[in-house]
Amino acid sequence: MGQRTAASQSTAPEAAQHTGRHTGRAARSAASGGSRTSGSGHAERVFLVQTAFAELGGSAHGPGEIAEFTGLDDSVVYRILQSGIYQRIFERVDRGLYRLRTSAAQLAFTALDHRLDGAQTVLSDLREATGNGLAFLYMVAPFSGAQRQCVDMAVGDSDLAELGMTPRDVLSVTRSLRTGASGRTILAYLPEVLQQRVLAEPVPEQAGPGVYRDNDALLASLAEVRDLGHAVGYEECMAGWNSCAAPIMWDGAIMGAVLLLKQKTVMPDVPRSVIEATKEAAAVLSRYGAARPAIEG
């Protein structure tokens, strides 16, 4: 529950010192899937490989480089790349070098465009159910698995500038998954290798006074998010604003979060009614992602 949670006293291991390739090596045994029994294990490994291309930068990378970054076995990475070529996700550009196809990004944007039809209605209903709270939809940034971006909002006639929110607050500070209830909600469901990269990032200078600065407390809060299915924040992104967020899951993978904001003077504590309304909005958008087109007979 933001900085107020008792879970912030946890002694979870510090992760801020693990970055880039060191993170990959540390995560090798866990990410390689040797002990996994969940069907989501393969999907997570594919996600890690796709994310590696964005995180490493550059135009093309070899299986060995991706394996070292992600912590996956070389053979696992090679099989994913070969399968991805057939699925038109990756392409071979030189002997031993691969890159993401541009069609992968186009498919992602097309999927978001169609699957989020009606999101504005969901956000508007959330705003009404919470007594004119400010409702936002954040999705995982398409070119990085370790950031988020605001793609829609329902704020009524509110002037965000008059409320103390600038475009920088909405579009820049809140990109970080370290800050805010929605950031921590997304972070809680990302693979460990990406969590550790975020933990190694500095706290944005413009973050609110309630932001988690201690990584042990932040890690403990992520466990709480997974246990409860939501996060509440107290002045994490901006001074004077409290929040609640719930995850949007598509096919078992985290895609984004619904965020509800209210001024601290109006909502000093986040009531159960706000939590349930936020979770219901996220559940509706999660069902959008799972929807399949009807088969015409």
Side-chain angles (χ1 to χ4, degrees), residues 109 180 268 285:
F109 283 119
L285 293 175

Side-chain angles (χ1 to χ4, degrees), residues 240-258:
W241 290 88
N242 292 338
S243 58
C244 178
I248 298 170
M249 309 291 291
W250 289 356
D251 297 322
I254 184 68
M255 293 300 295
V258 173

Side-chain angles (χ1 to χ4, degrees), residues 130-177:
T130 56
N132 294 325
L134 306 183
F136 296 85
L137 172 58
Y138 282 93
M139 302 298 285
V140 176
F143 295 109
S144 172
Q147 288 187 326
R148 60 187 159 136
Q149 64 183 54
C150 181
V151 299
D152 205 352
M153 66 182 75
V155 298
D157 296 328
S158 301
D159 185 328
L160 297 184
E162 290 183 357
L163 293 173
M165 296 183 196
T166 67
R168 185 182 181 89
D169 292 325
V170 175
L171 301 175
S172 180
V173 177
T174 53
R175 281 183 185 168
S176 172
L177 298 182

Side-chain angles (χ1 to χ4, degrees), residues 110-285:
T110 301
L112 283 176
D113 181 54
H114 290 296
R115 291 194 180 191
L116 292 177
D117 285 345
Q120 178 60 214
T121 299
V122 175
L123 296 178
S124 296
D125 290 345
L126 174 59
R127 173 172 165 77
E128 181 178 354
T130 56
N132 294 325
L134 306 183
F136 296 85
L137 172 58
Y138 282 93
M139 302 298 285
V140 176
F143 295 109
S144 172
Q147 288 187 326
R148 60 187 159 136
Q149 64 183 54
C150 181
V151 299
D152 205 352
M153 66 182 75
V155 298
D157 296 328
S158 301
D159 185 328
L160 297 184
E162 290 183 357
L163 293 173
M165 296 183 196
T166 67
R168 185 182 181 89
D169 292 325
V170 175
L171 301 175
S172 180
V173 177
T174 53
R175 281 183 185 168
S176 172
L177 298 182
R178 290 193 65 112
T179 59
S182 60
R184 290 189 295 109
T185 294
I186 294 172
L187 185 61
Y189 294 93
L190 286 178
E192 182 182 358
V193 63
L194 294 181
Q195 289 181 351
Q196 292 178 346
R197 285 185 64 83
V198 173
L199 289 169
E201 297 172 357
V203 176
E205 293 181 3
Q206 301 86 358
V211 69
Y212 284 85
R213 298 187 180 277
D214 178 78
N215 280 344
D216 288 348
L218 180 54
L219 281 170
S221 81
L222 302 185
E224 188 176 66
V225 170
R226 292 190 296 271
D227 288 342
L228 299 178
H230 71 273
V232 296
Y234 295 96
E235 301 186 274
E236 288 188 47
C237 285
M238 293 165 287
W241 290 88
N242 292 338
S243 58
C244 178
I248 298 170
M249 309 291 291
W250 289 356
D251 297 322
I254 184 68
M255 293 300 295
V258 173
L259 174 70
L260 192 285
L261 276 176
K262 274 197 165 187
Q263 289 180 312
K264 177 182 177 181
T265 53
V266 177
M267 189 175 71
D269 291 291
V270 181
R272 174 55 56 180
S273 60
V274 167
I275 293 173
E276 293 303 324
T278 304
K279 292 174 74 170
E280 175 58 25
V284 171
L285 293 175

Side-chain angles (χ1 to χ4, degrees), residues 21-77:
R21 302 178 189 278
H22 293 90
T23 295
R25 286 193 290 268
R28 181 178 298 276
S29 61
S32 63
S35 62
R36 291 185 184 274
T37 58
S38 169
S40 66
H42 176 70
E44 180 177 306
R45 293 192 288 273
V46 173
F47 177 77
L48 285 173
V49 171
Q50 289 178 293
T51 302
F53 282 95
E55 294 288 329
L56 285 169
S59 60
H61 303 282
E65 185 180 11
I66 295 171
E68 186 175 4
F69 177 83
T70 61
L72 297 171
D73 290 337
D74 290 26
S75 60
V76 171
V77 171

